[in-house]
Amino acid sequence: MSGPHVIRGSVVLPEAELVWRFSRSSGPGGQHVNTSDSQVELRFDLAGTQALPEVWKERALERLAGRLVDGVLTVRASDHRSQWRNRETAAVRLAGLLAEATAPPPKARRKSRIPRGINERRLREKKQRGDTKRGRSGRGWD
């Protein structure tokens, strides 16, 4: 693999905590596909890791709850013919998932106030429009 995969800041995926599994991949490759284990399955024990700060870990466990099996996050890659490129893809996907899951929540949106003058003008124009329409009726024309 090409160096450590950064999650965010100075936090990286610890190579010692990654569990790799390889299997035969479907797809292109001809006769080669029957003999090589190019599909990659990368597992990361999110619940048991010490590499992430505690706050990040709690946030990630909450946000990735649907993807976890017993606290373990699994990523599969079989896009490429070579195992090496699939390993790269899986590691990048895992780092991306963790970066997204550990990101701080967005700032709460502050409700904006409509200025009083704008509101008064809107009501005044509305009243004027109603008067115009009321004036179009035939009542009062004897």
Side-chain angles (χ1 to χ4, degrees):
M1 287 201 7
S2 65
H5 291 279
V6 178
I7 295 173
R8 200 170 60 251
S10 62
V11 180
V12 295
L13 274 175
E15 193 64 43
E17 293 184 20
L18 299 177
V19 179
W20 299 92
R21 230 179 100 213
F22 308 102
S23 59
R24 294 204 176 108
S25 178
S26 62
Q31 294 169 341
H32 173 72
V33 81
N34 299 327
T35 58
S36 65
D37 294 338
S38 60
Q39 179 174 304
V40 173
E41 184 179 282
L42 176 58
R43 296 165 153 258
F44 180 66
D45 187 5
L46 186 57
T49 187
Q50 297 299 314
L52 298 176
E54 203 57 41
V55 178
W56 287 19
K57 190 156 88 169
E58 288 171 16
R59 211 180 283 157
L61 284 169
E62 182 183 317
R63 290 181 183 171
L64 296 172
R67 287 194 64 142
L68 299 176
V69 177
D70 297 329
V72 177
L73 180 62
T74 305
V75 175
R76 267 203 188 101
S78 61
D79 306 340
H80 307 286
R81 283 177 157 192
S82 78
Q83 185 186 97
W84 183 81
R85 285 182 66 191
N86 282 332
R87 284 176 65 119
E88 283 290 311
T89 304
V92 168
R93 275 189 207 158
L94 181 64
L97 267 173
L98 289 173
E100 197 175 306
T102 58
K107 281 187 175 178
R109 183 182 172 277
R110 270 185 55 210
K111 201 172 167 185
S112 59
R113 254 186 85 243
I114 300 171
R116 194 174 75 200
I118 290 176
N119 211 21
E120 286 175 356
R121 186 174 64 211
R122 181 183 64 85
L123 292 173
R124 192 171 51 247
E125 287 171 359
K126 206 171 162 171
K127 182 84 173 149
Q128 198 174 9
R129 186 82 178 135
D131 291 343
T132 304
K133 287 185 173 188
R134 202 175 309 110
R136 289 180 187 157
S137 69
R139 283 186 282 153
W141 288 47
D142 290 311

